[in-house]
Amino acid sequence: MHRWLRSLLWMPAIVACLLGFGAAAVSAASSEAVLVGRVVLVEGTLLRYVPDPEDWVAVVQDAPFGLDDALYSDENTRAELSMPNRMRIRIGGNTQIQMIALNEELTSLDVASGIARLINSGGSGMIRVSTPFGYAVSEGPSVFDLYVGDESVEVAALQGAVDFV
C-alpha cells in the first residue's frame, strides 16, 4: 500500500479525535456554575411568578430562588433569602423583587416596590439593586435598607457604604 494511502486511512480517526477534544474544551469553557439561592424564612404569603401559566404561586421555606425569579410578599409577610455568595435579602410586606444576576462576585436584583434589607457578609463581592428611581450599589461587607414607594425611594446604610445613582 502506498504511503499516502495509509495516511489517508488515518485521517478520519485523527479528525474525529480533534473534533471530540474541541467539543469537550468548548463545553467545559462555556459551562459556568449556576448559583441558586434559597428561601430560608417565610412568615405570611410569599408568591413566585411562573411565566408558563402566567400566574403567581405560593412559595414555601427552602424553595430555590435564582436567575429571573420574581417574588411578591403579601401585606403582612416577612421573608429571608440566602445566596451562596454569602449575601442575604430580607423583604417585608408588599414587596416585589426579581433576581437579575447571581455569581460569586455579584448579586443583582430589582426591587419594584416595598422594603428590602440587603446584607453582604462576604469579604468581597457587590450588591446592585435597581429600583424605578435609580439603583443602589454596595461593595464589600455591608448592610443597607431600601424603601421603594410609589413616588420615591429611600436608602439607609446600616453598615459599610452604599451609593445611589
Side-chain angles (χ1 to χ4, degrees):
M1 198 183 283
H2 293 290
R3 182 192 279 171
W4 63 271
L5 187 57
R6 269 190 254 146
S7 63
L8 282 178
L9 292 175
W10 281 98
M11 279 301 225
I14 292 171
V15 170
C17 287
L18 290 174
L19 287 176
F21 176 77
V26 168
S27 70
S30 66
S31 64
E32 186 177 312
V34 175
L35 297 181
V36 177
R38 71 181 181 96
V39 178
V40 295
L41 172 76
V42 177
E43 293 178 357
T45 303
L46 184 64
L47 303 172
R48 175 191 319 269
Y49 182 74
V50 180
D52 189 19
E54 294 185 3
D55 199 7
W56 293 87
V57 297
V59 176
V60 296
Q61 189 168 323
D62 290 328
F65 178 66
L67 190 61
D68 295 330
D69 281 347
L71 300 177
Y72 176 77
S73 62
D74 206 7
E75 186 175 352
N76 295 315
T77 299
R78 295 181 339 160
E80 183 171 338
L81 313 166
S82 178
M83 303 299 128
N85 57 6
R86 300 193 64 206
M87 297 188 196
R88 291 180 296 160
I89 305 160
R90 294 179 181 160
I91 60 174
N94 295 324
T95 300
Q96 184 173 342
I97 66 170
Q98 180 174 11
M99 179 63 68
I100 305 299
L102 179 61
N103 59 50
E104 289 295 328
E105 297 299 319
L106 172 69
T107 298
S108 178
L109 46 117
D110 180 70
V111 178
S113 62
I115 301 169
R117 174 167 287 176
L118 297 117
I119 304 159
N120 182 355
S121 301
S124 64
M126 178 170 57
I127 297 176
R128 184 181 190 282
V129 183
S130 61
T131 73
F133 307 102
Y135 62 92
V137 176
S138 179
E139 292 188 55
S142 59
V143 178
F144 66 96
D145 287 347
L146 203 60
Y147 305 93
V148 181
D150 293 335
E151 298 178 11
S152 65
V153 64
E154 291 180 38
V155 180
L158 305 174
Q159 177 186 344
V162 61
D163 294 318
F164 187 79
V165 180

